[in-house]
Every structure is written in C-alpha cells, then in structure tokens.
Amino acid sequence: MKKPIYFLIAIVGMSLQSCFNDDRGQRDTAATSAVDPIEDTTQRAQNYTADVDINGDEKSFISQAASGSMGEIATGNLIIQKSTNAAVKSFAERMVKDHNKANKELEKIANRKGLTFPSTLSENQLKEIAAMKELSGRSIDVQYLTMMINNHAQTTALFGKATSFKDSALKAFASTTLPVIQSHRKDAVKLGEKLNISNTNNGDDIGIVTSSTNN
C-alpha cells in the first residue's frame, strides 16, 4: 500500500514542478518582451508628445535661430574663401565656429522635443550668398559686414525675447547665447569702423556702422 502512495505523490510533485517551470518560463518571456521595446516606445512617445508644452513663439524661435545660424555659417565660409582681409577672415572664422556650436546645442533641444530642425537655407539666404559670390576685394568685405551688423541686430532682439520663455531649456539656451550674439555685433561694428566703411564720403557707406549702433 505504501508504494502506490509514494508513486502517486511523486507524479503529483513532478506535475507541479512542470507547471511551475512552464509558468516561470511564460513570465520570463513576457518580462523580456515587455522590456525590449521600452527604449523604442519611449523615444517614439517623446517624438510625438514631448513638444506639447512648447508654444508658437518658442517653436518659431527654434526655426528662426537655426536658420539664422545656418546663414551665418554659409556666408562665413564664403568669406573665408574669398576675402583677402585677414581681420575680416578671422571674424568670419569666429562666426562659423560660434554659430556651429549654437546650432548643435539648439538641435539637441529640438530633437528632445520632437521638433523638426531646419536643414536648408531659405530662398533669400541663397540669393544673398549668390550675390556675394559675384563680389571680391573690398566690396565683398563691405557687403559681409553690412549683413553681419544687420543680422546680429535682429538676432539680438530675437534672443532677447527668448530669455523670458516659459520653456526652461530654450530660456537657458537664449540666455547663454545672447551675450555671444551681442559680442558678434559689437565686433562687426568695430571692424567696420576700422575699415572706414561708415564714411559717407567714400561711396560705400552702409548707413549703420557707427559708434551709436554699438550695443
């Protein structure tokens, strides 16, 4: 009588162990399946929903700031190639370096918020660059510095407004970058004065390169 009982107990034990193993295997598989796509799912969720707290002005700022920096980089590279003035070329090199750095930082912010970052120059920028390619010598230096002073005046206003944004990342970016933009314009004005391109009697006055515009 004892042997059948022991045999029955052994069968029940084996069945329970098998069920336990099957259940554990199913749970392990389920856990693995749940964990594997987490990163992808999170990324997609961020891309579609992370920008809901960004208002129209903030989105517009990203677009305008990115486009402006791309323009500065493109014209700077052209001046590096064509200008024969060492000071102007040095200034252009600084523009390329600083605006490349700013755009990389801004692109990271845009990507985290699921926003499309501009990648091409505007039609007006392309026209300006095409016109500059036809210039040389002093003419291209005057045109370039004219653009830099005008552009950085507008960019100063753009970044100044952005320093009061609700979005903390954009606000911090604008606050950090604004002094750099102001420095660019200040140095462009000084360089223009050294080249005497603000002299109304020399035929190539740009109208705004004067000490009074230094801010």
Side-chain angles (χ1 to χ4, degrees), residues 45-61:
Q46 290 175 341
N47 288 341
Y48 285 103
T49 65
D51 66 329
V52 294
D53 61 334
I54 302 298
N55 62 39
D57 286 342
E58 292 167 340
K59 289 181 180 179
S60 178
F61 168 76

Side-chain angles (χ1 to χ4, degrees), residues 72 75-76 78-79 83 88 91 124-125 127-151 188 192 195 197 204-206 208-209:
E72 303 292 1
T75 53
L78 178 62
I79 291 299
S83 178
V88 174
F91 178 81
N124 285 338
Q125 288 173 322
K127 288 180 179 179
E128 288 178 341
I129 293 173
M132 287 182 67
K133 287 181 179 179
E134 302 299 319
L135 303 176
S136 61
R138 178 179 173 82
S139 294
I140 194 171
D141 293 339
V142 169
Q143 180 63 21
Y144 176 61
L145 289 174
T146 301
M147 290 176 61
M148 291 302 96
I149 295 170
N150 285 331
N151 290 353
L195 296 179
I197 62 176
D204 48 40
D205 175 42
I206 63 176
I208 57 174
V209 184

Side-chain angles (χ1 to χ4, degrees), residues 83-94:
S83 178
T84 58
N85 185 295
V88 174
K89 291 181 71 169
S90 178
F91 178 81
E93 290 171 351
R94 179 185 170 199

Side-chain angles (χ1 to χ4, degrees), residues 62-80 91-92 94-100 102-103 117-130 132-133 143-144 147-148 151-152 155 184:
I62 292 177
S63 178
Q64 292 183 60
S67 179
S69 280
M70 286 191 295
E72 303 292 1
I73 293 167
T75 53
N77 282 326
L78 178 62
I79 291 299
I80 292 171
F91 178 81
R94 179 185 170 199
M95 295 303 100
V96 172
K97 178 182 177 181
D98 289 352
H99 284 281
N100 259 320
N103 252 17
F117 197 75
S119 60
T120 58
L121 295 173
S122 69
E123 184 177 345
N124 285 338
Q125 288 173 322
L126 291 173
K127 288 180 179 179
E128 288 178 341
I129 293 173
M132 287 182 67
K133 287 181 179 179
Q143 180 63 21
Y144 176 61
M147 290 176 61
M148 291 302 96
N151 290 353
H152 283 87
T155 306
H184 288 173

